[in-house]
Each structure stands twice: as structure tokens, then as C-alpha cells.
Amino acid sequence: MEAPSVAGLLAAELRRRGVRRVFGLCGGHIQPVWDALARLGVDVVGVRHEGSAVYMAQAQADLGGGVGVALVTAGPGLTNTITALASAHLARSPVVLVTGRAPRPQSGMGALQDIPQAALVAPVCRRVETVWDRGHLLARLDAVWSAALGEEGPQGPACLEIPTDVLTEPAATVDRGPRRAAAVGRAALLPDPGAVAAAVALLGEGRRTLVVTGRGARDDPRAVEAFLDATGAGHIDTAESRGVVARDHPAQLTAMRSRAMAEAELVVTVGRRLDFQLGYGSDAVFSAGPGWLRIGRTTDELADNRRGDVTVQADAGAALWALLEAGVGHRGADTGWRDALHRASEERIAAARARAPRLTTGDGGIHPLTLLAAVEELVDAGTVVVADGGDILSFARSSLAADTWLDPGALGCLGVGVPFAVAAALTLPDRRVIAVVGDGAAGFSAMEIDTAVRHRARALVVVANNAGWNIERQDQIDRFDGNLVGVELPGCRYDLLARALGAHGERVEDAALLPGALRRGLENAPAVVDVWVSREPVSPDSRSGMAAVPELHALAPWDRAERELRARTIPPG
């Protein structure tokens, strides 16, 4: 049936492209689209803050649910999304934001919520398009859709804004033209044979090889594991790629990351930027001065901070299969180096797990590692684990195993936990969803528990409640003579908030009661289990000096190593 309005046509086109759920907050400027989507049977998830809508769209996209779509009204509706757009931008998550704007006849006259929206979001979007004429609707939608998918550059968020008066116009004169295929994926990018040959030669030198995977490795997990098996390489993942390689795979060097980076003689990056989390690829961090093979689709995966000795521009899966077909690993893999590190990693993990339930604290609070060990008992192969916060994320990153993982990512954006968990539960309703969230982080988006209740999103939110911003608190103790300013929180009862919002809520102050409370939370989700956690244990991020924001690197040891390297290699004066 012919869509009667531009809003109706837009809704129908989104549905044709596979969109079955959008996240947003209603408002007059986008009400025509909101209504049209609902009438077409698209699930419209109404959130309590527009930033949460984009977080949820990001989580859906990152969990394989296709392009995430968020729908927000003009003015503050749009400005509320900027931090979340920045998160999706750095995570390279395919998200399309649709927003209204003031009617064209009122533009520039001081209309309600009339601000330069496109200029505000442009730095954190791959593309921004405004539909000034109804005839251009589908062409502009094609442009932002393509940009979100990364068809001509990195994936990431893109924005389509439409004045409200355009939305209400009849769609009869919209230029339909040839329609974009409804498929949600992007066209394959195949490797150059010459680059493949050069990579095979580099890999054939028999050096200790370390594979570092990023978002691009999600293209084809089988190809990554096949490459590891054939080459005997060790592997470290990042939050972008956790779950691509099974956690029990013999290549995994989970607890030996720093040593692996220091000893590797050849590093292969697969769809991964060399950002602060990898020491920018510096020889101060990868201290054996390794060779580099960089595999990726875009320039930021191939040439940021340091180019490879060889680069292969292609989809990760296509590149890895091409390398295998060209002979990589045919002479048999030498796994001695990686096997020794893997054994050391497994021994370290096992020791930490054995110790966690017995840890005690002076203040009587539950040790964060004890909490995480109890959570891990409930994590099966299909569980989606979300970690959010400062202190608790730092502990969880190295001690909570999960094949499907979401966290604040490169932006370090606290507050994603509850929205990510809600979206995960809606996107993957047959799988467990457990979010471990610090009490500070919970304060950003705890009202989305109401969204979980209204939309029956069966997520368990575990709040690690130490009544403080504990990394900053520790930093003020260490560097500012214990002058504590703005780091104490009142010990809010998030379990009571959950109950007030219609969810299941429990408080736990005794570690022996944790397993039962967590299981009840899963059984009665959406649920919040508020756990009194000790603030005494010093998290890995606190120990590494991250809070001090070192000049050259994110971590103090890397910063010191970089200074020493520069002192040796840069002549004085």
C-alpha cells in the first residue's frame, strides 16, 4: 500500500531494510514517524533518556542484530545523544540516528528547539544528511545507511534529520528510483594477491607470532581460529572481539597480555586499531621490536600510529582465508612459545578463581573478585555479559570470562551498562543477560530499569556498590594526601529503586548469600541485585596509574618505558 506521507514512507523503508525494533523517546518533531513505525508493527522501545536510545541501538548492532536505529526529537532530544554517538563512533558500531528538526518556514526565526543540529553531531558521525525536500528522502537515507555500514570508510553512527513539515507532506512525489537491496550487510572487500604473497613471506620466517583481534575479526570467527591453528600464533583479544576465539582455545593468552606483547617477534593485527589500549604499537610496549602485519578494511585499521611491514586491505575473513590458501602454516606450526604462555595464563586464572571465594576485607564489604566469581558461576556459553563502571570494570576485564561481552569501550563511557543490558535482552531473548555495574555508573542510567520492565527485557543488573567513585578516590589518597573531594556517594539502595520501578530487587551484604540472590535475580528478571562491595581492594587500573592520566601512554608502566626508550634513542638537544 502506498505510504500516505513522508513519515509513512520512511517507516516502511526502514522495515523493508530489516528494522524490526527502534529505540527512542517520543516528541512532537518525530511523532509522525513514531506513529507510522508502530502501525507497521515495528517494536518502538520508549526509553527514559535519548542517550540510552543510542546505547541500545549500539548494543543491538554489536550483538549482530543489524543496523541499530534510534529515533529522537529535535533540540535537547538530539543533544542528549551526543555522548552516546561518540561511544558508537569509537566502537565503530553501525547506528542510524533519525531526528526531527524545526519546520522549514520557522527556520532561523527562533523556533522551538531550532539549533544547528547537524553541526553539533557531525564530529561523531560518519555522515549527517538533512532532508530539505521530500523528493530526496530515500537518497539521503541510502547515504547515511551506507556510511553506518562502513561501505566507504569505517563503520559508525550516521544521522538523518528531517524537518517536521517534510514528514507530514504526501509521499507521492518522492523519487523512488532503483531501491537499495534490503540486505543489512556491506559488500565484500577481497585482498590484493600481491599483498597476500608479501604477508605469506613475512609469516614464513618462523618468529614468535601474536595475533591481536578487533572489531573486524567478527567478520569470520572460523577464519581467525583456523589461522591461529595453522600458524601456532598466540592470541589476545580486546573488548571489540571478545568471543571471536573460544576462551579455552590453546592460543588464548588472556592473563599474559603484557608478557606476550613484550616477547612477540611478529604482531598481526586483525581489524584492530593500535589505540591507547595497545600502547599505540610502540616499541616501548611491544618491546621485542617486532615485525608487523596489519589486516583490515579501513585506513584506521591499517596505518594508525604505525604502518605494518606488510598491510592487507580486505575483510578480515577474506584476508585470513586467502593467507591460508596461499600456504601459511602448511609446513606445520611451532607452538612452543604460545603453549608456555597459555599454560602460565591458565595457571594464573585458576589460582585467581580458587582464591576469590576466600578473600576477606577489613571493612566487611564483599571483595569485588568474590562477587565476580559468583557471577561467573552463572555464565554459560550463551550468556551476554555487560560490564560498566570504573573499579568493577577494571576487576571484571581480567577476571570475568564470557564469550559475549559488552563494555564502555574506547570512550570509557560510564552509564552504558543498563541500556546495553536492556537491548541485549530484547535482541537475544533466549539468552541470559547479566550486567555488572558500579554504583557510580548505575546512576547515569538506572531509570532504564523502568524501560526493562515496560518492555519485558529479562536482564539481571548486579550493582557493585562501594558508595564511591573508587578509582578517583584511590587517586586522591595516593597523589593528593587523602584530600577526598567529590568521590563519596551515599550508598544508594538500587534494589529499592528497582522495586519501586516494578522490577525484582534484592540487597546482599554477605558473600554466602550471593549465589541464591543472583539466581533469584535471573529467575525474576528484570532484576537488580545490589551488592555491598568493599572499597579497600585496589583495582588493576588504579595500580597501573590510569587515573593520573600519564603524558605519553594510558598506563604508568608504559609511560615510563616510553620515556626510557626515547632517552636511549633520541639524541640530547
Side-chain angles (χ1 to χ4, degrees):
M1 183 176 69
E2 188 73 15
S5 68
V6 169
L9 177 60
L10 174 60
E13 182 63 15
L14 290 172
R15 193 177 190 282
R16 189 185 71 83
R17 294 177 189 225
V19 176
R20 295 295 179 267
R21 177 178 296 111
V22 300
F23 306 94
L25 204 159
C26 58
H29 290 84
I30 46 89
Q31 197 66 50
V33 187
W34 191 270
D35 177 79
L37 286 166
R39 291 179 186 275
L40 288 174
V42 174
D43 182 17
V44 180
V45 178
V47 301
R48 299 298 297 268
H49 188 280
E50 289 89 354
S52 293
V54 177
Y55 291 139
M56 291 181 190
Q58 177 187 342
Q60 176 183 290
D62 288 352
L63 292 170
V67 174
V69 177
L71 179 62
V72 303
T73 197
L78 182 282
T79 59
N80 280 345
T81 69
I82 291 176
T83 299
L85 288 170
S87 174
H89 177 83
L90 290 182
R92 291 170 290 162
S93 303
V95 169
V96 169
L97 175 68
V98 179
T99 181
R101 62 166 294 145
R104 289 169 299 176
Q106 298 180 46
S107 181
M109 296 179 66
L112 174 67
Q113 299 175 343
D114 186 11
I115 57 174
Q117 298 185 155
L120 285 169
V121 300
V124 289
C125 285
R126 304 301 183 197
R127 186 159 184 161
V128 181
E129 291 283 346
T130 303
V131 181
W132 294 111
D133 184 284
R134 60 184 172 183
H136 302 157
L137 172 71
L138 298 181
R140 300 293 182 263
L141 178 60
D142 277 347
V144 297
W145 203 264
S146 176
L149 287 171
E151 292 184 333
E152 298 177 0
Q155 290 185 152
C159 178
L160 181 71
E161 67 165 358
I162 312 174
T164 303
D165 61 310
V166 174
L167 289 173
T168 59
E169 289 183 339
T173 60
V174 172
D175 180 12
R176 308 299 172 94
R179 311 288 293 279
R180 179 190 171 95
V184 297
R186 58 188 177 184
L189 181 60
L190 302 179
D192 174 73
V196 170
V200 170
L202 185 66
L203 287 159
E205 296 177 11
R207 293 181 286 184
R208 294 178 302 207
T209 301
L210 177 66
V211 174
V212 183
T213 52
R215 184 182 187 91
R218 296 182 188 182
D219 286 348
D220 193 339
R222 286 196 315 112
V224 177
E225 290 206 358
F227 183 79
L228 293 171
D229 293 339
T231 60
H235 173 253
I236 57 175
D237 62 11
T238 57
E240 293 183 6
S241 61
R242 186 167 296 189
V244 167
V245 177
R247 53 184 160 176
D248 58 354
H249 191 282
Q252 291 284 41
L253 309 179
T254 305
M256 302 297 290
R257 302 168 75 89
S258 294
R259 182 176 161 189
M261 289 190 287
E263 295 182 1
E265 296 171 336
L266 174 63
V267 179
V268 182
T269 63
V270 180
R272 185 62 166 88
R273 297 185 63 194
L274 289 173
D275 62 8
F276 73 93
Q277 299 170 86
L278 294 169
Y280 310 114
S282 169
D283 287 346
V285 175
F286 293 84
S287 51
W292 290 83
L293 168 60
R294 305 207 60 186
I295 298 170
R297 186 177 173 108
T298 61
T299 301
D300 62 352
E301 295 174 348
L302 295 170
D304 66 323
N305 296 314
R306 71 178 301 159
R307 284 189 172 273
D309 299 288
V310 175
T311 60
V312 181
Q313 185 170 18
D315 291 328
L320 295 176
W321 288 122
L323 291 171
L324 292 168
E325 291 167 5
V328 166
H330 285 188
R331 291 190 297 273
D334 179 1
T335 63
W337 173 70
R338 87 162 190 201
D339 289 348
L341 286 183
H342 178 72
R343 285 193 299 272
S345 176
E346 292 298 294
E347 289 168 3
R348 181 175 289 183
I349 291 169
R353 286 176 176 161
R355 186 174 69 251
R358 302 192 302 272
L359 292 169
T360 59
T361 61
D363 61 9
I366 296 170
H367 196 289
L369 293 176
T370 303
L371 167 60
L372 294 169
V375 170
E376 191 172 65
E377 288 295 317
L378 299 177
V379 176
D380 59 23
T383 301
V384 179
V385 171
V386 181
D388 179 23
D391 234 33
I392 195 63
L393 172 61
S394 178
F395 283 111
R397 195 185 292 119
S398 57
S399 59
L400 179 55
D403 286 337
T404 306
W405 173 275
L406 298 172
D407 72 19
L411 188 63
C413 182
L414 272 60
V416 301
V418 179
F420 276 6
V422 172
L426 294 174
T427 303
L428 303 170
D430 297 327
R431 294 166 62 175
R432 289 181 178 179
V433 176
I434 304 175
V436 181
V437 180
D439 57 321
F444 284 97
S445 54
M447 282 303 296
E448 300 305 340
I449 295 165
D450 164 67
T451 305
V453 171
R454 285 183 287 110
H455 292 275
R456 299 181 177 85
R458 294 183 53 78
L460 168 61
V461 177
V462 182
V463 179
N465 195 340
N466 59 17
W469 301 100
N470 213 39
I471 288 181
E472 288 73 18
R473 179 180 174 277
Q474 188 66 45
D475 186 46
Q476 291 180 5
I477 291 172
D478 293 342
R479 294 199 300 137
F480 298 92
D481 301 321
N483 183 31
L484 302 182
V485 181
V487 293
E488 303 283 354
L489 293 173
C492 299
R493 291 287 302 272
Y494 293 95
D495 58 314
L496 298 181
L497 173 63
R499 289 162 60 183
L501 295 173
H504 177 82
E506 292 191 40
R507 168 82 166 183
V508 178
E509 300 179 2
D510 182 344
L513 302 178
L514 263 175
L518 294 175
R519 289 195 176 277
R520 286 190 295 275
L522 280 176
E523 292 164 1
N524 295 283
V528 172
V529 176
D530 185 26
V531 183
W532 179 38
V533 171
S534 174
R535 55 169 58 170
E536 291 178 355
V538 180
S539 69
D541 283 349
S542 285
R543 289 198 302 271
S544 72
M546 182 178 286
V549 193
E551 180 183 358
L552 302 176
H553 283 282
L555 307 183
W558 291 358
D559 193 76
R560 288 193 296 271
E562 185 73 38
R563 293 176 186 279
E564 292 168 3
L565 177 66
R566 294 187 182 191
R568 293 195 304 269
T569 58
I570 299 175

